[in-house]
PDB file of all heavy atoms in Angstrom:
ATOM      1  N   LYS A 466      59.578 182.834  77.895  1.00  0.00           N
ATOM      2  CA  LYS A 466      58.626 183.855  77.451  1.00  0.00           C
ATOM      3  C   LYS A 466      57.301 183.782  78.211  1.00  0.00           C
ATOM      4  O   LYS A 466      56.387 184.537  77.919  1.00  0.00           O
ATOM      5  CB  LYS A 466      58.361 183.682  75.949  1.00  0.00           C
ATOM      6  CG  LYS A 466      59.580 183.929  75.084  1.00  0.00           C
ATOM      7  CD  LYS A 466      59.266 183.586  73.635  1.00  0.00           C
ATOM      8  CE  LYS A 466      60.466 183.787  72.725  1.00  0.00           C
ATOM      9  NZ  LYS A 466      60.973 185.156  72.715  1.00  0.00           N
ATOM     10  N   ASN A 467      57.185 182.826  79.120  1.00  0.00           N
ATOM     11  CA  ASN A 467      55.942 182.606  79.870  1.00  0.00           C
ATOM     12  C   ASN A 467      54.757 182.395  78.930  1.00  0.00           C
ATOM     13  O   ASN A 467      53.706 183.023  79.047  1.00  0.00           O
ATOM     14  CB  ASN A 467      55.702 183.796  80.820  1.00  0.00           C
ATOM     15  CG  ASN A 467      54.580 183.524  81.794  1.00  0.00           C
ATOM     16  OD1 ASN A 467      54.341 182.364  82.176  1.00  0.00           O
ATOM     17  ND2 ASN A 467      53.855 184.554  82.179  1.00  0.00           N
ATOM     18  N   LYS A 468      54.954 181.500  77.942  1.00  0.00           N
ATOM     19  CA  LYS A 468      53.883 181.186  76.993  1.00  0.00           C
ATOM     20  C   LYS A 468      53.608 179.681  76.965  1.00  0.00           C
ATOM     21  O   LYS A 468      54.489 178.875  77.264  1.00  0.00           O
ATOM     22  CB  LYS A 468      54.279 181.644  75.582  1.00  0.00           C
ATOM     23  CG  LYS A 468      54.365 183.163  75.420  1.00  0.00           C
ATOM     24  CD  LYS A 468      54.613 183.533  73.970  1.00  0.00           C
ATOM     25  CE  LYS A 468      55.010 184.985  73.816  1.00  0.00           C
ATOM     26  NZ  LYS A 468      53.943 185.941  74.104  1.00  0.00           N
ATOM     27  N   VAL A 469      52.396 179.361  76.574  1.00  0.00           N
ATOM     28  CA  VAL A 469      51.996 177.966  76.380  1.00  0.00           C
ATOM     29  C   VAL A 469      52.654 177.451  75.096  1.00  0.00           C
ATOM     30  O   VAL A 469      52.922 178.224  74.184  1.00  0.00           O
ATOM     31  CB  VAL A 469      50.449 177.941  76.241  1.00  0.00           C
ATOM     32  CG1 VAL A 469      49.966 176.691  75.543  1.00  0.00           C
ATOM     33  CG2 VAL A 469      49.783 178.079  77.597  1.00  0.00           C
ATOM     34  N   TYR A 470      52.919 176.142  75.037  1.00  0.00           N
ATOM     35  CA  TYR A 470      53.451 175.581  73.790  1.00  0.00           C
ATOM     36  C   TYR A 470      52.740 174.269  73.458  1.00  0.00           C
ATOM     37  O   TYR A 470      52.149 173.634  74.337  1.00  0.00           O
ATOM     38  CB  TYR A 470      54.975 175.409  73.854  1.00  0.00           C
ATOM     39  CG  TYR A 470      55.487 174.589  75.015  1.00  0.00           C
ATOM     40  CD1 TYR A 470      55.915 173.277  74.829  1.00  0.00           C
ATOM     41  CD2 TYR A 470      55.558 175.125  76.302  1.00  0.00           C
ATOM     42  CE1 TYR A 470      56.406 172.518  75.879  1.00  0.00           C
ATOM     43  CE2 TYR A 470      56.033 174.370  77.364  1.00  0.00           C
ATOM     44  CZ  TYR A 470      56.456 173.074  77.145  1.00  0.00           C
ATOM     45  OH  TYR A 470      56.927 172.323  78.190  1.00  0.00           O
ATOM     46  N   ALA A 471      52.797 173.921  72.184  1.00  0.00           N
ATOM     47  CA  ALA A 471      52.003 172.772  71.718  1.00  0.00           C
ATOM     48  C   ALA A 471      52.698 172.039  70.584  1.00  0.00           C
ATOM     49  O   ALA A 471      53.539 172.595  69.884  1.00  0.00           O
ATOM     50  CB  ALA A 471      50.650 173.275  71.239  1.00  0.00           C
ATOM     51  N   PHE A 472      52.286 170.783  70.422  1.00  0.00           N
ATOM     52  CA  PHE A 472      52.741 169.967  69.288  1.00  0.00           C
ATOM     53  C   PHE A 472      51.634 170.125  68.250  1.00  0.00           C
ATOM     54  O   PHE A 472      50.664 169.368  68.224  1.00  0.00           O
ATOM     55  CB  PHE A 472      52.883 168.520  69.776  1.00  0.00           C
ATOM     56  CG  PHE A 472      53.744 167.646  68.906  1.00  0.00           C
ATOM     57  CD1 PHE A 472      53.980 166.320  69.273  1.00  0.00           C
ATOM     58  CD2 PHE A 472      54.321 168.124  67.739  1.00  0.00           C
ATOM     59  CE1 PHE A 472      54.782 165.489  68.497  1.00  0.00           C
ATOM     60  CE2 PHE A 472      55.123 167.306  66.944  1.00  0.00           C
ATOM     61  CZ  PHE A 472      55.348 165.987  67.332  1.00  0.00           C
ATOM     62  N   SER A 473      51.773 171.197  67.446  1.00  0.00           N
ATOM     63  CA  SER A 473      50.647 171.665  66.642  1.00  0.00           C
ATOM     64  C   SER A 473      50.227 170.751  65.484  1.00  0.00           C
ATOM     65  O   SER A 473      49.098 170.842  65.011  1.00  0.00           O
ATOM     66  CB  SER A 473      50.922 173.082  66.158  1.00  0.00           C
ATOM     67  OG  SER A 473      52.280 173.261  65.852  1.00  0.00           O
ATOM     68  N   GLU A 474      51.134 169.899  64.997  1.00  0.00           N
ATOM     69  CA  GLU A 474      50.761 168.893  63.986  1.00  0.00           C
ATOM     70  C   GLU A 474      51.711 167.729  64.113  1.00  0.00           C
ATOM     71  O   GLU A 474      52.926 167.928  64.221  1.00  0.00           O
ATOM     72  CB  GLU A 474      50.930 169.432  62.558  1.00  0.00           C
ATOM     73  CG  GLU A 474      49.709 170.033  61.944  1.00  0.00           C
ATOM     74  CD  GLU A 474      49.926 170.401  60.472  1.00  0.00           C
ATOM     75  OE1 GLU A 474      50.345 169.541  59.678  1.00  0.00           O
ATOM     76  OE2 GLU A 474      49.664 171.564  60.138  1.00  0.00           O
ATOM     77  N   THR A 475      51.152 166.537  64.025  1.00  0.00           N
ATOM     78  CA  THR A 475      52.015 165.358  63.956  1.00  0.00           C
ATOM     79  C   THR A 475      51.253 164.193  63.340  1.00  0.00           C
ATOM     80  O   THR A 475      50.065 164.304  63.024  1.00  0.00           O
ATOM     81  CB  THR A 475      52.586 164.965  65.337  1.00  0.00           C
ATOM     82  OG1 THR A 475      53.645 164.016  65.134  1.00  0.00           O
ATOM     83  CG2 THR A 475      51.539 164.342  66.256  1.00  0.00           C
ATOM     84  N   GLY A 476      51.937 163.058  63.231  1.00  0.00           N
ATOM     85  CA  GLY A 476      51.271 161.860  62.762  1.00  0.00           C
ATOM     86  C   GLY A 476      52.173 161.026  61.881  1.00  0.00           C
ATOM     87  O   GLY A 476      53.269 161.438  61.504  1.00  0.00           O
ATOM     88  N   LEU A 477      51.681 159.827  61.629  1.00  0.00           N
ATOM     89  CA  LEU A 477      52.335 158.881  60.725  1.00  0.00           C
ATOM     90  C   LEU A 477      51.250 158.488  59.736  1.00  0.00           C
ATOM     91  O   LEU A 477      50.230 157.901  60.128  1.00  0.00           O
ATOM     92  CB  LEU A 477      52.830 157.660  61.525  1.00  0.00           C
ATOM     93  CG  LEU A 477      53.220 156.424  60.728  1.00  0.00           C
ATOM     94  CD1 LEU A 477      54.446 156.691  59.860  1.00  0.00           C
ATOM     95  CD2 LEU A 477      53.523 155.248  61.680  1.00  0.00           C
ATOM     96  N   GLU A 478      51.441 158.857  58.483  1.00  0.00           N
ATOM     97  CA  GLU A 478      50.403 158.589  57.481  1.00  0.00           C
ATOM     98  C   GLU A 478      50.095 157.091  57.420  1.00  0.00           C
ATOM     99  O   GLU A 478      51.018 156.268  57.329  1.00  0.00           O
ATOM    100  CB  GLU A 478      50.880 159.095  56.112  1.00  0.00           C
ATOM    101  CG  GLU A 478      49.772 159.134  55.077  1.00  0.00           C
ATOM    102  CD  GLU A 478      50.266 159.639  53.736  1.00  0.00           C
ATOM    103  OE1 GLU A 478      51.356 159.235  53.288  1.00  0.00           O
ATOM    104  OE2 GLU A 478      49.529 160.442  53.122  1.00  0.00           O
ATOM    105  N   SER A 479      48.842 156.738  57.532  1.00  0.00           N
ATOM    106  CA  SER A 479      48.318 155.353  57.519  1.00  0.00           C
ATOM    107  C   SER A 479      48.661 154.526  58.770  1.00  0.00           C
ATOM    108  O   SER A 479      48.161 153.423  58.926  1.00  0.00           O
ATOM    109  CB  SER A 479      48.768 154.554  56.297  1.00  0.00           C
ATOM    110  OG  SER A 479      48.417 155.230  55.141  1.00  0.00           O
ATOM    111  N   ILE A 480      49.553 155.040  59.616  1.00  0.00           N
ATOM    112  CA  ILE A 480      49.941 154.413  60.892  1.00  0.00           C
ATOM    113  C   ILE A 480      50.192 152.908  60.756  1.00  0.00           C
ATOM    114  O   ILE A 480      49.567 152.066  61.402  1.00  0.00           O
ATOM    115  CB  ILE A 480      48.894 154.671  62.017  1.00  0.00           C
ATOM    116  CG1 ILE A 480      47.990 155.841  61.685  1.00  0.00           C
ATOM    117  CG2 ILE A 480      49.580 154.888  63.375  1.00  0.00           C
ATOM    118  CD1 ILE A 480      46.737 155.915  62.516  1.00  0.00           C
ATOM    119  N   LYS A 481      51.208 152.606  59.948  1.00  0.00           N
ATOM    120  CA  LYS A 481      51.550 151.194  59.711  1.00  0.00           C
ATOM    121  C   LYS A 481      52.451 150.631  60.820  1.00  0.00           C
ATOM    122  O   LYS A 481      52.570 149.416  60.984  1.00  0.00           O
ATOM    123  CB  LYS A 481      52.258 151.042  58.353  1.00  0.00           C
ATOM    124  CG  LYS A 481      51.320 151.285  57.170  1.00  0.00           C
ATOM    125  CD  LYS A 481      50.540 150.029  56.814  1.00  0.00           C
ATOM    126  CE  LYS A 481      49.282 150.269  56.003  1.00  0.00           C
ATOM    127  NZ  LYS A 481      49.464 151.041  54.789  1.00  0.00           N
ATOM    128  N   THR A 482      53.134 151.495  61.567  1.00  0.00           N
ATOM    129  CA  THR A 482      54.001 151.025  62.656  1.00  0.00           C
ATOM    130  C   THR A 482      53.131 150.560  63.825  1.00  0.00           C
ATOM    131  O   THR A 482      52.319 151.343  64.338  1.00  0.00           O
ATOM    132  CB  THR A 482      54.925 152.180  63.133  1.00  0.00           C
ATOM    133  OG1 THR A 482      55.592 152.697  61.992  1.00  0.00           O
ATOM    134  CG2 THR A 482      55.924 151.723  64.181  1.00  0.00           C
TER     135      THR A 482
END
Side-chain angles (χ1 to χ4, degrees):
K466 295 174 181 300
N467 190 30
K468 292 186 193 291
V469 159
Y470 55 104
F472 199 178
S473 36
E474 266 186 54
T475 193
L477 165 66
E478 192 180 43
S479 305
I480 341 164
K481 290 276 160 54
T482 307

